Amino acid sequence: MLQLRLVNENGYTVTVPGYETVVTVSDELADATEEFLLGEPAEADAAFWRQVAREHAEALGGKETINGRNALAKVGYHNARDYRVQRTQL
């Protein structure tokens, strides 16, 4: 048995409403489950954090201020391709 945990680019466990992001599966199902976790749940979490970053940038003045432009430049840091699945043998 393996425990699979979806983690973001910073190594933190991802929590997405409507999805289990920490699951225990048999060895046979691990690869398929990992592929699923890196799909829709990872993309939903990354999209949420991109939206948070956009709102933060707008609160700092958006394109009109240096701080706003710097914050907008960081929106792309939230990318589901940087997420990974940690495997723990149980």
Side-chain angles (χ1 to χ4, degrees):
M1 295 296 285
L2 291 169
Q3 182 184 65
L4 304 181
R5 178 183 305 269
L6 180 64
V7 297
N8 64 16
E9 66 276 2
N10 296 320
Y12 293 105
T13 300
V14 171
T15 304
V16 181
Y19 294 100
E20 291 292 328
T21 58
V22 178
V23 294
T24 302
V25 296
S26 66
D27 294 349
E28 296 82 29
L29 295 175
D31 291 336
T33 305
E34 181 174 347
E35 186 177 323
F36 170 77
L37 288 173
L38 290 172
E40 206 171 310
E43 192 55 53
D45 187 68
F48 170 78
W49 288 109
R50 284 191 300 269
Q51 182 60 36
V52 168
R54 280 189 204 94
E55 291 171 4
H56 176 72
E58 289 302 316
L60 292 174
K63 294 179 182 178
E64 306 300 319
T65 66
I66 291 173
N67 287 340
R69 285 192 297 271
N70 288 341
L72 281 171
K74 294 179 182 178
V75 169
Y77 288 177
H78 304 287
N79 188 342
R81 285 180 275 159
D82 296 331
Y83 285 34
R84 59 190 170 82
V85 173
Q86 287 181 337
R87 291 181 180 217
T88 305
Q89 187 74 40
L90 299 177

